Amino acid sequence: MADYEANVLVGKFAEAAVEPAAKADEGGKDALCWQLHAAAAERLAGNNDEAVRRFDLAEDLFIDFEHRSKAVDTTASMMTGDYILPYAGEGQDRVFTCLYKAIDFGVLGKPAAVRTELNRAMLHQQNWRAERSAEIAAADAKLERDARSYAQSNGARQPTGSNAVSTVSRAFGDASFSAAIRANAGFDTARDGRLDLIADDDFTNAYLVRVNETFRRYVGDSGSKPHDMVTVFVEDGMCPKREEWRIDLPTILIPWVNRYVQYAGMALPKLVYRNAAVTAYSVSGAGTCYPMVEIQDVDRLVKTEFDVYFRGALTREIIRAVARVGVQIALGAVRDSISDDNTRLALTLVQLGTAAYSFATTDADIRSWTTLPKKVYMLDLPRPADGVVTVNCGLEQIRLNVQPGNTMVFVRKTSSAAPSVVKMFTLPN
């Protein structure tokens, strides 16, 4: 990922696609994440057919995860973390997959396919809250199974039931613990990530909505269509990426822990925000310069998705910490009930080994689609008589020759150091 992002940020898009594409083709639990990164790099490199092909493969994986049995016991995830499970994608992953396919189909001269993909993207957008609710319910049910299986296989104190539930409740309500979570992850345990408190604006992708409305207007779906109009969209920068940080579960929150616990740590993700590529954009035509308007803060969409994930992840990590603690307590209790010094020493070593294993395998799931933009800008203007439209991206000026008709222009500026990528297509008047 370091190599991938370094290439994307300097405009080496073809090079960026190589390794993610190879990893995606290998399959495995991270295949969807690699497929999204490979497809994004291919479309930036101008390989529209290959980008669509890889986005199609990504959608196959989305569908596969939807129909995969939720009853599979994954005790290993209780012993380690979410990262051991297949990457299933976020809601915005699905929205942007269809949106990017629609744009590339437009460039390929397939307006019917554009309409289909925009329909599908809008459907994913409309179902966002219901899909997240179903995912949370499935994750909660699996967590209960995993915790019980882990406890039974390791002789631990039962981590489910009143102990685990009360520990999670105490942790979320503990002022110092909650303050540490807020300081490190920007997450408010009292309200963030709760679906019932999320406003529509926090997850509605206005970029998709505007692209859909513009396309419908330009093809006449919504009535009489305009004549010789140009709409410019600019995707700026890169969305937040995830990094790991660690925190200990305060033993005061687990009153039955006492002297047996050697390690009660948790690994969690946090969002790291990136700089904008350009602070302001404008479009020039027929001697007039028009400032572009920000229509979507993608960082906000990513934060909403992250908060929904993080609320569940924090709950799971607390349960995991309690489960690991349960094994250490079981070993310590047995040791203290035995008088033979050699056996006591052996059990102490096993207890320390268990704690060391817990530390070594405690990792956060930091997978996410990092090639999405930071912000999106938009502008409508009449096509100049000479057909020349210039998009001003900071010091970079992109001169476009726009054909008669209604034209949609998409500019991608990943960083100040990378050249802009332009995609456009014209629909007949």
Side-chain angles (χ1 to χ4, degrees):
M1 282 304 301
D3 290 342
Y4 175 87
E5 293 207 344
N7 282 325
V8 169
L9 290 172
V10 297
K12 295 182 178 179
F13 305 123
E15 292 92 331
V18 175
E19 191 169 8
K23 290 184 174 294
D25 292 342
E26 290 173 2
K29 66 182 181 65
D30 300 328
L32 173 57
C33 193
W34 289 123
Q35 203 68 267
L36 293 172
H37 284 90
E42 293 286 8
R43 76 184 303 269
L44 290 174
N47 302 322
N48 298 317
D49 285 311
E50 178 63 8
V52 168
R53 187 183 76 85
R54 289 203 171 273
F55 278 131
D56 280 341
L57 292 173
E59 290 205 280
D60 289 342
L61 291 170
F62 280 122
I63 294 170
D64 178 57
F65 291 134
E66 284 179 356
H67 295 91
R68 186 172 297 181
S69 173
K70 300 294 191 299
V72 177
D73 185 273
T74 50
T75 306
S77 71
M78 179 55 61
M79 298 168 62
T80 50
D82 287 357
Y83 66 88
I84 202 170
L85 300 172
Y87 179 79
E90 305 283 357
Q92 290 301 327
D93 289 1
R94 301 206 69 167
V95 169
F96 270 100
T97 290
C98 294
L99 174 58
Y100 284 157
K101 284 173 66 180
I103 295 170
D104 288 346
F105 277 134
V107 176
L108 292 169
K110 301 178 179 180
V114 175
R115 180 183 286 103
T116 297
E117 292 302 329
L118 290 177
N119 285 342
R120 298 178 67 245
M122 290 298 293
L123 184 61
H124 289 312
Q125 177 67 79
Q126 293 164 12
N127 293 339
W128 186 91
R129 196 186 298 268
E131 289 175 354
R132 302 293 81 71
S133 179
E135 289 168 1
I136 290 170
D140 288 347
K142 187 176 73 60
L143 176 65
E144 179 74 16
R145 293 192 301 272
D146 292 350
R148 184 181 297 108
S149 178
Y150 179 85
Q152 292 172 349
S153 62
N154 289 277
R157 288 275 192 93
Q158 179 72 333
T160 56
S162 60
N163 283 336
V165 172
S166 60
T167 301
V168 171
S169 178
R170 285 196 300 273
F172 273 66
D174 183 83
S176 60
F177 182 74
S178 296
I181 297 296
R182 186 182 302 108
N184 284 280
F187 182 88
D188 183 348
T189 58
R191 61 173 292 109
D192 287 348
R194 288 178 49 183
L195 289 177
D196 60 318
L197 297 180
I198 295 176
D200 288 351
D201 286 348
D202 291 328
F203 67 84
T204 298
N205 190 323
Y207 179 28
L208 165 64
V209 173
R210 295 297 187 90
V211 170
N212 183 60
E213 290 174 348
T214 302
F215 176 80
R216 304 288 181 185
R217 190 170 72 251
Y218 283 180
V219 297
D221 284 355
S222 55
S224 61
K225 59 184 178 181
H227 184 87
D228 282 351
M229 288 294 296
V230 180
T231 300
V232 180
F233 296 94
V234 175
E235 298 182 23
D236 174 88
M238 302 271 276
C239 72
K241 61 181 180 179
R242 297 183 184 185
E243 289 185 358
E244 179 183 285
W245 62 284
R246 294 196 174 212
I247 185 173
D248 289 334
L249 182 64
T251 54
I252 191 173
L253 298 177
I254 316 174
W256 41 275
V257 161
N258 58 56
R259 65 186 182 278
Y260 296 131
V261 176
Q262 305 295 324
Y263 178 71
M266 301 183 293
L268 295 162
K270 65 179 180 180
L271 289 180
V272 178
Y273 293 87
R274 271 89 74 83
N275 294 328
V278 176
T279 56
Y281 293 87
S282 62
V283 179
S284 301
T288 304
C289 184
Y290 307 90
M292 298 193 72
V293 177
E294 179 186 321
I295 60 166
Q296 180 62 67
D297 182 349
V298 181
D299 285 358
R300 181 179 180 179
L301 296 177
V302 172
K303 177 65 163 63
T304 298
E305 296 259 36
F306 175 80
D307 285 349
V308 173
Y309 166 77
F310 189 87
R311 177 165 287 276
L314 180 57
T315 298
R316 291 188 292 275
E317 279 300 296
I318 293 172
I319 298 285
R320 287 184 183 109
V322 173
R324 293 170 185 137
V325 162
V327 175
Q328 297 174 51
I329 291 173
L331 289 166
V334 172
R335 179 198 60 201
D336 287 357
S337 68
I338 295 174
S339 59
D340 180 74
D341 289 343
N342 290 331
T343 304
R344 287 171 59 84
L345 176 61
L347 286 169
T348 297
L349 294 175
V350 172
Q351 185 186 34
L352 292 172
T354 299
Y357 176 80
S358 294
F359 177 83
T361 57
T362 299
D363 290 308
D365 185 356
I366 58 172
R367 297 169 296 180
S368 65
W369 188 4
T370 63
T371 332
L372 298 179
K374 179 181 182 69
K375 293 181 182 294
V376 182
Y377 298 82
M378 177 184 174
L379 179 72
D380 286 326
L381 73 157
R383 176 184 177 272
D386 61 3
V388 177
V389 172
T390 302
V391 183
N392 306 300
C393 307
L395 298 177
E396 182 185 21
Q397 293 186 325
I398 306 168
R399 189 176 187 274
L400 305 173
N401 292 310
V402 180
Q403 299 302 309
N406 295 310
T407 301
M408 299 181 71
V409 179
F410 299 86
V411 178
R412 183 71 175 96
K413 184 75 171 172
T414 58
S415 78
S416 59
S420 295
V421 174
V422 180
K423 296 175 181 284
M424 68 176 183
F425 57 91
T426 301
L427 300 160
N429 285 318

